[in-house]
Amino acid sequence: MPRRQHGAFRVIWWSSNLLLATAFVAMLYSCAREYSVRRYLDGFSDAIVPNSHPPEQKVQAILDWMRAEPSRTITANPDGLAMRDPEITLTYRQLLNVCGTATNAFLNLARSSDLRVRRLLLLSPEHTTKHVIAEVLINDRWIIVDPTYRVIMKDAKGHYLTRKELQDPAVFSEAISAVPNYPREYNYDRFAHVRLTRLPLNGLHLRPLVDRVYPGWEEAVDWSLLLERESFFYLVLSSAAAMFFLLLRAGLAWYADHRLRIPRFHLREHAIRAGAAFFSAPEIKQ
């Protein structure tokens, strides 16, 4: 069949191959970047968190390091920093004093210390975020940790408190009475783990739809790792893109072979033949 025919298909075919190659390269780069970040966090957490300690002492060790006002870099323009980069949040002092980035720093160090953690957003009546804190799984209970104030929420008896327990106004008042200048508006009347209102598709009211399709989806996955660690987000995104374009290429290849009957370069078959020729013993004719 003449090459000038099916020109549109050929454009789509080569475009999909180019996009697949681009996504694959991006995935390799993101994988290397995420590995580098994890190595950095492992080394950082090893320096401040004893591995042999129980979970509650690991949490306290991280908070003690944050409370000690470590010698960190100060920048004149903190708003210009990459606030989703763990190395950045642990480098600049100003970011350790802002609830969002302070919580991200705590979560990253806690994960590197083998703790199960997740982010929790406290919402205003208008459903805007008024404070960001962390939950840590200890003894099968998700206890509340506020990295901004360097405190684990406890009652007067030293009992670690969960989100549900802090919804009781009396328990909440008792817990914050031990924390100087803790705002009373940081209550637990409204909360979320993921804010879908930040998406441009907010008008579609995604949360009620997702809640009906998959109840409990917010707590089923550690969304904070995906949404707040830039390197991991791009790794997942590039991996998904590579998988999509790989499936697209397979579909286009089937269509070209079985419907259009277009001759094409079969990379897999040529690779198999090349491998067989390379590893097989040469035939010597006498």
Side-chain angles (χ1 to χ4, degrees):
M1 185 173 292
R3 291 184 62 86
R4 64 176 178 272
Q5 295 186 9
H6 306 296
F9 178 85
R10 294 183 186 278
V11 170
I12 295 174
W13 169 255
W14 287 111
S15 297
S16 66
N17 279 274
L18 178 61
L19 291 171
L20 174 60
T22 303
F24 186 74
V25 171
M27 182 180 67
L28 291 179
Y29 174 81
S30 300
C31 186
R33 173 59 180 161
E34 175 65 13
Y35 176 77
S36 173
V37 168
R38 294 193 180 216
R39 288 291 303 272
Y40 172 83
L41 291 172
D42 286 342
F44 204 108
S45 63
D46 287 345
I48 62 176
V49 182
N51 287 329
S52 59
H53 284 195
E56 56 270 19
Q57 292 186 21
K58 290 183 177 181
V59 172
Q60 195 60 57
I62 298 173
L63 295 177
D64 288 343
W65 175 82
M66 299 178 72
R67 186 183 299 110
E69 293 292 337
S71 178
R72 302 280 93 187
T73 303
I74 297 177
T75 178
N77 182 26
D79 293 335
L81 298 174
M83 297 187 182
R84 294 173 59 197
D85 187 336
E87 297 182 25
I88 296 296
T89 57
L90 291 171
T91 298
Y92 292 91
R93 181 183 299 179
Q94 293 105 313
L95 299 185
L96 292 176
N97 293 319
V98 178
C99 66
T101 47
T103 299
N104 287 347
F106 173 84
L107 293 175
N108 284 314
L109 290 176
R111 289 192 192 97
S112 297
S113 303
D114 300 322
L115 295 171
R116 286 191 61 187
V117 292
R118 62 191 184 192
R119 187 181 59 156
L120 184 67
L121 308 175
L122 303 182
L123 306 180
S124 67
E126 295 76 25
H127 293 280
T128 59
T129 301
K130 59 184 178 182
H131 195 44
V132 184
I133 56 176
E135 290 181 301
V136 184
L137 185 64
I138 296 180
N139 297 328
D140 296 323
R141 300 172 67 247
W142 287 100
I143 68 168
I144 297 297
V145 177
D146 193 329
T148 309
Y149 289 86
R150 289 39 166 169
V151 64
I152 306 175
M153 288 299 186
K154 307 175 186 177
D155 60 16
K157 298 180 180 179
H159 174 74
Y160 295 140
L161 299 173
T162 65
R163 177 188 67 212
K164 185 175 181 180
E165 291 171 328
L166 285 166
Q167 288 177 322
D168 185 334
V171 175
F172 177 73
S173 297
E174 184 178 295
I176 67 173
S177 64
V179 185
N181 303 317
Y182 197 91
R184 298 191 64 86
E185 60 266 23
Y186 290 170
N187 54 47
Y188 294 77
D189 294 342
R190 300 171 186 84
F191 57 85
H193 291 95
V194 181
R195 280 197 60 211
L196 296 182
T197 54
R198 296 180 61 184
L199 299 177
L201 300 177
N202 182 40
L204 298 179
H205 303 290
L206 293 177
R207 182 176 292 276
L209 175 62
V210 177
D211 287 341
R212 285 196 298 269
V213 174
Y214 186 13
W217 63 274
E218 280 194 82
E219 299 186 1
V221 178
D222 182 11
W223 293 102
S224 58
L225 178 62
L226 176 64
L227 299 176
E228 298 302 328
R229 184 184 291 181
E230 194 173 58
S231 57
F232 187 75
F233 173 80
Y234 285 120
L235 174 59
V236 173
L237 183 64
S238 59
S239 299
M243 180 61 66
F244 171 78
F245 289 119
L246 184 63
L247 293 175
L248 176 62
R249 185 186 185 280
L252 291 173
W254 180 90
Y255 189 74
D257 293 340
H258 296 84
R259 296 296 184 185
L260 300 181
R261 307 292 182 181
I262 298 177
R264 63 183 182 86
F265 181 79
H266 294 265
L267 178 62
R268 183 176 58 182
E269 294 181 7
H270 282 75
I272 293 174
R273 292 176 184 175
F278 182 80
F279 290 105
S280 61
E283 181 180 353
I284 301 177
K285 296 183 179 181
Q286 296 182 353

